[in-house]
Amino acid sequence: MTMTLSPGILFSVVVVYFGLLMLISWFTGRKAANEDFFIGGRQSNWLLVAIGMIGASLSGVTFISIPGAVGATPELMEQMTGTFKVNPNICFSYMQMVFGYLVGYLIIATVLMPLYYKLNLTSIYGYLEQRFGFWSYKTGAAFFQLSRLIGSSFRLYLVAIVLQKFVLEAFGVPFWATVLITLALIWVYTYRGGIKTIVITDTIQTVAMLLAVVLTIYTIGQSMGYNFVGTFEAVYQSDYSQMFFFEGGWEDPNNFFKQFFSGALIALVMTGLDQDMMQKNLSCKSLKDAQKNMFVFSVILVFANLLFLSLGALLYMYTSNVGLEIPLKTDQLYPTIALNHLPAFTGIVFFIGLIAAAYSSADSALTSLTTSFCVDFLDLEKKKLDEKRSRNTRFKVHLGVTAVVFAIVVIFNAINNDSVINKLFEIAGYTYGPLLGLFSFGIMMKSYTVRDKYVPVVGIVSPILAYLINLYSPQLFYGFTFGFLIVALNGFLTFMGLWLVSVRELKVTNS
């Protein structure tokens, strides 16, 4: 029934898949102007944007880490490593965060999107300049650059280690070369069309990811004697299907309230205050289309995450059923089973889904980082350069961003010793927190204006204070740990810091 896929076959899959992306890139980028790279001429189809955003949101982190985390209970970790480790995503507890996402997406669609469209923004951080001034604008854009560079590098790293282990290592290719090849392929198909190309490619890549998950679920279920409906019934009845965790209290990282509110804030900052995700929305024809996209995207995302978690439960059920050894790094559980223990066709579809996960996240990240740097730091829109000079500047920035991501992934590979998804959200809590504070203060405190020159200081001090409070929180708050809620603490400290350096504007009335 099974056949181990050779590195040569998998390499051929990469070549064919890349050829398809290049064809799409040629078609969408052949008549693209420089402005189309940034916002696609504001002509993107809202449904394609919604589907493509699923792939960008899920990425390789969800594709591999979430299924692997389902069965990684403290008892299993202690048995495998000799260390008692609390996993904040065991069983279906991740859905508590997903339900929280829906609250964040509602705020994005009804508060942030109308604001962005009203101001006709290319970079969403232009709002901070209009609201507060130059230094606030640059501070917000700088935190996005830092946040997205780190987050995208972690996501790319996760997929690169799988490509390295199962494909290129057999050809003697070192890890750094694997990362370089991956980024080079992404750069080649995005440098012309930018967001105009990505709207199409991300749609295809989202479909590939979800198809891989559905096919894997079907194949594993069939091998265990279940039909498709029976497979989900077996998952529901398994020990892995617990979704809500109330009994552990605030010390439990899986506590419902901690995960739910964390999810709402993470969605708000990592989608609504993130140029990468908002750039796709701003490329829609109108605010109404962008809002339709956000609502449809929210619904699809819930079912997509349920699929990934069901897959995770099945993977652990399958390993128990056939007596397989669980990898020490649970991120590798899905690829190990898909490529070595399932039929060749399923393995190939999984591999396409894995590549899609890598590309759908990294391609939009490179584009949004390039857009932000060109618009927010080089003032490309304000300078009104001719098409040739503007295109050359953007070309160089795009190349430079790719080089920085490459360096970060290689460095992370040398020092990483933690679960990728938890590290991703932990770091995002510190880098996105100041953005949450800046935008919240700007929108909620309309009668106040900040002393703009002090905003960078607030932006630097707040994450440091948040880190120190989080470090000693068990002693300070009777065992309470912030976990993913660190973004709330960080945002609150930034908000209060801005209040301290602000002045109230007095309204002048005619007597």
Side-chain angles (χ1 to χ4, degrees):
M1 178 184 175
T2 61
M3 181 186 82
T4 301
L5 292 169
S6 69
I9 294 174
L10 296 178
F11 182 75
S12 300
V13 172
V14 174
V15 172
V16 173
Y17 186 80
F18 172 66
L20 173 64
L21 294 182
M22 283 300 297
L23 182 62
I24 295 170
S25 174
W26 174 82
F27 182 76
T28 56
R30 55 182 175 165
K31 296 181 180 179
N34 195 60
E35 189 68 17
D36 291 333
F37 180 95
F38 301 134
I39 52 175
R42 299 192 190 275
Q43 294 297 312
S44 297
N45 180 281
W46 69 266
L47 184 57
L48 292 182
V49 173
I51 297 172
M53 281 180 64
I54 296 294
S57 298
L58 297 175
S59 74
V61 172
T62 306
F63 193 72
I64 297 177
S65 285
I66 292 300
V70 168
T73 61
E75 293 77 16
L76 177 64
M77 293 296 100
E78 185 173 27
Q79 178 184 339
M80 291 169 57
T81 64
T83 303
F84 187 84
K85 181 180 179 182
V86 178
N87 187 342
N89 290 305
I90 62 171
C91 300
F92 276 36
S93 63
Y94 185 67
M95 284 304 299
Q96 298 174 137
M97 290 189 69
V98 175
F99 292 136
Y101 290 168
L102 299 180
V103 176
Y105 295 146
L106 180 63
I107 296 172
I108 292 168
T110 57
V111 178
L112 293 179
M113 281 185 175
L115 178 64
Y116 298 155
Y117 268 86
K118 179 182 178 181
L119 298 177
N120 196 32
L121 300 174
T122 298
S123 167
I124 62 174
Y125 309 111
Y127 162 74
L128 297 176
E129 183 177 35
Q130 296 186 38
R131 178 65 176 86
F132 297 130
F134 175 86
W135 288 109
S136 301
Y137 172 39
K138 301 303 180 185
T139 300
F143 270 106
F144 161 72
Q145 291 279 329
L146 179 62
S147 304
R148 182 48 64 180
L149 279 170
I150 294 173
S152 298
S153 298
F154 284 150
R155 288 174 170 138
L156 184 61
Y157 164 78
L158 181 62
V159 178
I161 57 178
V162 176
L163 291 173
Q164 174 71 11
K165 179 179 178 180
F166 291 99
V167 184
L168 296 177
E169 193 175 77
F171 299 102
V173 178
F175 179 81
W176 66 264
T178 298
V179 178
L180 183 62
I181 292 168
T182 303
L183 282 170
L185 296 180
I186 294 170
W187 185 88
V188 166
Y189 80 79
T190 58
Y191 86 98
R192 285 184 183 275
I195 201 70
K196 191 174 182 180
T197 299
I198 287 167
V199 167
I200 305 298
T201 57
D202 277 7
T203 301
I204 294 172
Q205 288 168 165
T206 297
V207 173
M209 288 175 64
L210 296 180
L211 178 62
V213 173
V214 171
L215 182 60
T216 307
I217 290 173
Y218 173 78
T219 304
I220 293 179
Q222 193 177 52
S223 72
M224 297 174 66
Y226 303 119
N227 59 29
F228 196 64
V229 175
T231 300
F232 288 99
E233 290 178 350
V235 168
Y236 177 74
Q237 294 171 5
S238 72
D239 295 334
Y240 303 106
S241 62
Q242 182 178 352
M243 187 177 295
F244 299 106
F245 291 75
F246 294 99
E247 63 278 0
W250 284 107
E251 295 181 26
D252 182 8
N254 293 294
N255 177 273
F256 170 80
F257 297 103
K258 288 176 71 173
Q259 294 244 6
F260 182 83
F261 290 119
S262 296
L265 290 171
I266 286 170
L268 184 60
V269 298
M270 296 186 72
T271 299
L273 306 183
D274 184 282
Q275 176 66 22
D276 187 355
M277 299 299 289
M278 284 295 99
Q279 191 165 343
K280 298 181 180 70
N281 288 279
L282 293 176
S283 71
C284 291
K285 297 177 182 178
S286 65
L287 170 61
K288 185 177 179 181
D289 278 358
Q291 289 174 321
K292 285 192 294 185
N293 146 60
M294 183 57 65
F295 291 132
V296 171
F297 157 73
S298 302
V299 173
I300 297 174
L301 190 67
V302 171
F303 290 101
N305 277 287
L306 278 172
L307 278 177
F308 277 98
L309 291 168
S310 298
L311 170 62
L314 272 176
L315 291 174
Y316 282 94
M317 292 164 63
Y318 179 81
T319 58
S320 176
N321 191 49
V322 301
L324 288 178
E325 184 178 350
I326 298 171
L328 287 177
K329 288 190 174 183
T330 56
D331 292 342
Q332 297 181 8
L333 179 63
Y334 183 18
T336 298
I337 292 176
L339 296 176
N340 295 335
H341 299 277
L342 297 182
F345 180 72
T346 304
I348 289 173
V349 174
F350 158 79
F351 193 66
I352 292 173
L354 177 66
I355 300 169
Y359 285 9
S360 63
S361 175
D363 58 12
S364 59
L366 295 183
T367 302
S368 62
L369 286 165
T370 300
T371 298
S372 176
F373 197 85
C374 287
V375 174
D376 298 327
F377 292 99
L378 299 183
D379 298 325
L380 212 57
E381 281 190 316
K382 297 176 182 177
K383 290 179 179 178
K384 304 295 183 182
L385 301 177
D386 59 68
E387 178 71 15
K388 183 177 179 180
R389 290 180 63 191
S390 182
R391 186 187 295 270
N392 287 340
T393 300
R394 188 253 299 167
F395 178 90
K396 294 174 183 177
V397 172
H398 196 196
L399 196 60
V401 166
T402 305
V404 173
V405 171
F406 167 75
I408 294 174
V409 174
V410 172
I411 292 171
F412 183 60
N413 180 58
I415 63 175
N416 176 63
N417 61 358
D418 201 357
S419 169
V420 174
I421 187 169
N422 293 325
K423 183 61 68 175
L424 170 65
F425 284 127
E426 178 186 334
I427 291 175
Y430 291 104
T431 56
Y432 279 99
L435 287 173
L436 177 62
L438 277 164
F439 277 84
S440 297
F441 192 90
I443 293 170
M444 297 171 63
M445 307 293 282
K446 293 182 179 180
S447 62
Y448 285 80
T449 183
V450 300
R451 295 181 177 90
D452 184 48
K453 64 181 180 180
Y454 296 118
V455 171
V457 178
V458 173
I460 294 171
V461 171
S462 296
I464 295 173
L465 287 176
Y467 172 79
L468 293 174
I469 293 173
N470 185 55
L471 186 64
Y472 296 103
S473 63
Q475 296 92 330
L476 294 172
F477 306 113
Y478 304 98
F480 173 80
T481 56
F482 283 92
F484 297 148
L485 278 175
I486 191 65
V487 69
L489 173 63
N490 201 348
F492 173 75
L493 291 173
T494 304
F495 189 100
M496 295 306 296
L498 293 173
W499 179 73
L500 289 174
V501 298
S502 66
V503 292
R504 191 181 183 108
E505 294 178 331
L506 297 177
K507 293 183 180 180
V508 178
T509 57
N510 295 324
S511 56

mmCIF file of all heavy atoms in Angstrom, residues 22 43 98 126 132 210 212 214 252 258 271 299 343 355 393 474 499 510:
data_model
loop_
_atom_site.group_PDB
_atom_site.id
_atom_site.type_symbol
_atom_site.label_atom_id
_atom_site.label_comp_id
_atom_site.label_asym_id
_atom_site.label_seq_id
_atom_site.Cartn_x
_atom_site.Cartn_y
_atom_site.Cartn_z
ATOM 1 N N MET A 22 5.514 30.184 -12.071
ATOM 2 C CA MET A 22 6.162 31.081 -13.034
ATOM 3 C C MET A 22 5.211 31.453 -14.162
ATOM 4 O O MET A 22 5.207 32.595 -14.646
ATOM 5 C CB MET A 22 7.415 30.418 -13.587
ATOM 6 C CG MET A 22 8.608 30.445 -12.646
ATOM 7 S SD MET A 22 9.114 32.134 -12.228
ATOM 8 C CE MET A 22 9.585 32.758 -13.837
ATOM 9 N N GLN A 43 -7.982 46.313 -7.963
ATOM 10 C CA GLN A 43 -8.933 45.595 -8.806
ATOM 11 C C GLN A 43 -9.028 44.116 -8.452
ATOM 12 O O GLN A 43 -9.556 43.318 -9.217
ATOM 13 C CB GLN A 43 -8.515 45.729 -10.279
ATOM 14 C CG GLN A 43 -8.598 47.136 -10.841
ATOM 15 C CD GLN A 43 -10.033 47.662 -10.836
ATOM 16 O OE1 GLN A 43 -10.967 46.984 -11.264
ATOM 17 N NE2 GLN A 43 -10.210 48.879 -10.341
ATOM 18 N N VAL A 98 -9.015 30.185 17.895
ATOM 19 C CA VAL A 98 -9.677 30.427 16.604
ATOM 20 C C VAL A 98 -11.009 31.140 16.807
ATOM 21 O O VAL A 98 -11.351 32.069 16.063
ATOM 22 C CB VAL A 98 -9.872 29.101 15.843
ATOM 23 C CG1 VAL A 98 -10.668 29.327 14.558
ATOM 24 C CG2 VAL A 98 -8.516 28.473 15.508
ATOM 25 N N GLY A 126 0.486 54.745 7.369
ATOM 26 C CA GLY A 126 0.272 56.142 7.020
ATOM 27 C C GLY A 126 -0.756 56.791 7.925
ATOM 28 O O GLY A 126 -0.754 58.014 8.120
ATOM 29 N N PHE A 132 -0.695 61.261 14.392
ATOM 30 C CA PHE A 132 0.258 61.690 15.412
ATOM 31 C C PHE A 132 1.453 62.461 14.867
ATOM 32 O O PHE A 132 1.902 63.421 15.482
ATOM 33 C CB PHE A 132 0.786 60.472 16.194
ATOM 34 C CG PHE A 132 -0.262 59.736 16.964
ATOM 35 C CD1 PHE A 132 -0.382 58.364 16.849
ATOM 36 C CD2 PHE A 132 -1.137 60.400 17.812
ATOM 37 C CE1 PHE A 132 -1.335 57.662 17.561
ATOM 38 C CE2 PHE A 132 -2.099 59.713 18.526
ATOM 39 C CZ PHE A 132 -2.209 58.339 18.401
ATOM 40 N N LEU A 210 -5.379 22.700 1.617
ATOM 41 C CA LEU A 210 -6.588 22.070 2.148
ATOM 42 C C LEU A 210 -6.840 20.716 1.492
ATOM 43 O O LEU A 210 -7.293 19.767 2.155
ATOM 44 C CB LEU A 210 -7.786 22.998 1.948
ATOM 45 C CG LEU A 210 -7.718 24.330 2.700
ATOM 46 C CD1 LEU A 210 -8.963 25.169 2.437
ATOM 47 C CD2 LEU A 210 -7.547 24.109 4.195
ATOM 48 N N ALA A 212 -4.515 18.686 0.479
ATOM 49 C CA ALA A 212 -3.557 17.771 1.099
ATOM 50 C C ALA A 212 -4.072 17.263 2.435
ATOM 51 O O ALA A 212 -3.967 16.066 2.749
ATOM 52 C CB ALA A 212 -2.208 18.479 1.288
ATOM 53 N N VAL A 214 -7.305 17.128 3.517
ATOM 54 C CA VAL A 214 -8.488 16.281 3.316
ATOM 55 C C VAL A 214 -8.070 14.899 2.813
ATOM 56 O O VAL A 214 -8.572 13.869 3.295
ATOM 57 C CB VAL A 214 -9.469 16.946 2.330
ATOM 58 C CG1 VAL A 214 -10.589 15.973 1.945
ATOM 59 C CG2 VAL A 214 -10.064 18.210 2.943
ATOM 60 N N ASP A 252 -3.227 27.516 33.955
ATOM 61 C CA ASP A 252 -3.245 26.592 32.822
ATOM 62 C C ASP A 252 -3.105 27.369 31.511
ATOM 63 O O ASP A 252 -3.944 28.220 31.202
ATOM 64 C CB ASP A 252 -4.558 25.807 32.832
ATOM 65 C CG ASP A 252 -4.645 24.784 31.706
ATOM 66 O OD1 ASP A 252 -3.614 24.577 31.006
ATOM 67 O OD2 ASP A 252 -5.724 24.198 31.519
ATOM 68 N N LYS A 258 -7.995 32.656 28.629
ATOM 69 C CA LYS A 258 -6.688 33.124 28.178
ATOM 70 C C LYS A 258 -6.538 32.933 26.668
ATOM 71 O O LYS A 258 -6.083 33.827 25.943
ATOM 72 C CB LYS A 258 -5.570 32.373 28.911
ATOM 73 C CG LYS A 258 -5.409 32.759 30.367
ATOM 74 C CD LYS A 258 -4.358 31.920 31.064
ATOM 75 C CE LYS A 258 -2.959 32.263 30.608
ATOM 76 N NZ LYS A 258 -1.944 31.563 31.412
ATOM 77 N N THR A 271 -3.388 40.545 11.821
ATOM 78 C CA THR A 271 -4.121 40.721 10.566
ATOM 79 C C THR A 271 -4.459 42.194 10.365
ATOM 80 O O THR A 271 -4.039 42.814 9.399
ATOM 81 C CB THR A 271 -5.405 39.880 10.550
ATOM 82 O OG1 THR A 271 -5.071 38.493 10.669
ATOM 83 C CG2 THR A 271 -6.170 40.079 9.250
ATOM 84 N N VAL A 299 -15.145 32.614 8.213
ATOM 85 C CA VAL A 299 -15.906 31.364 8.260
ATOM 86 C C VAL A 299 -15.056 30.196 7.759
ATOM 87 O O VAL A 299 -15.001 29.125 8.383
ATOM 88 C CB VAL A 299 -17.199 31.493 7.430
ATOM 89 C CG1 VAL A 299 -17.910 30.146 7.340
ATOM 90 C CG2 VAL A 299 -18.125 32.536 8.040
ATOM 91 N N PRO A 343 0.290 6.084 0.906
ATOM 92 C CA PRO A 343 0.480 5.882 -0.538
ATOM 93 C C PRO A 343 1.206 7.047 -1.189
ATOM 94 O O PRO A 343 1.107 8.196 -0.737
ATOM 95 C CB PRO A 343 -0.959 5.756 -1.056
ATOM 96 C CG PRO A 343 -1.739 5.247 0.111
ATOM 97 C CD PRO A 343 -1.112 5.888 1.323
ATOM 98 N N ILE A 355 4.818 22.796 0.214
ATOM 99 C CA ILE A 355 5.437 23.871 -0.567
ATOM 100 C C ILE A 355 4.497 25.066 -0.639
ATOM 101 O O ILE A 355 4.912 26.220 -0.504
ATOM 102 C CB ILE A 355 5.766 23.381 -1.997
ATOM 103 C CG1 ILE A 355 6.730 22.200 -1.954
ATOM 104 C CG2 ILE A 355 6.382 24.511 -2.819
ATOM 105 C CD1 ILE A 355 6.890 21.514 -3.290
ATOM 106 N N THR A 393 14.075 51.174 -7.754
ATOM 107 C CA THR A 393 14.169 51.264 -6.293
ATOM 108 C C THR A 393 13.463 50.091 -5.637
ATOM 109 O O THR A 393 13.995 49.449 -4.728
ATOM 110 C CB THR A 393 13.538 52.580 -5.803
ATOM 111 O OG1 THR A 393 14.229 53.690 -6.391
ATOM 112 C CG2 THR A 393 13.615 52.684 -4.286
ATOM 113 N N PRO A 474 4.653 34.771 37.707
ATOM 114 C CA PRO A 474 4.213 33.748 38.676
ATOM 115 C C PRO A 474 4.377 34.201 40.124
ATOM 116 O O PRO A 474 3.528 33.910 40.972
ATOM 117 C CB PRO A 474 5.126 32.553 38.355
ATOM 118 C CG PRO A 474 5.517 32.748 36.928
ATOM 119 C CD PRO A 474 5.646 34.228 36.774
ATOM 120 N N TRP A 499 -0.345 57.881 26.716
ATOM 121 C CA TRP A 499 -1.165 58.808 27.508
ATOM 122 C C TRP A 499 -0.292 59.748 28.333
ATOM 123 O O TRP A 499 -0.582 60.943 28.466
ATOM 124 C CB TRP A 499 -2.107 58.000 28.400
ATOM 125 C CG TRP A 499 -2.978 58.863 29.258
ATOM 126 C CD1 TRP A 499 -4.046 59.609 28.869
ATOM 127 C CD2 TRP A 499 -2.824 59.079 30.671
ATOM 128 N NE1 TRP A 499 -4.593 60.285 29.944
ATOM 129 C CE2 TRP A 499 -3.859 59.973 31.059
ATOM 130 C CE3 TRP A 499 -1.940 58.613 31.630
ATOM 131 C CZ2 TRP A 499 -4.003 60.398 32.379
ATOM 132 C CZ3 TRP A 499 -2.090 59.023 32.947
ATOM 133 C CH2 TRP A 499 -3.119 59.915 33.300
ATOM 134 N N ASN A 510 -17.464 79.095 19.839
ATOM 135 C CA ASN A 510 -17.830 80.490 19.672
ATOM 136 C C ASN A 510 -18.843 80.876 20.724
ATOM 137 O O ASN A 510 -19.863 80.222 20.926
ATOM 138 C CB ASN A 510 -18.424 80.707 18.281
ATOM 139 C CG ASN A 510 -17.394 80.468 17.187
ATOM 140 O OD1 ASN A 510 -16.223 80.793 17.359
ATOM 141 N ND2 ASN A 510 -17.849 79.904 16.048
#
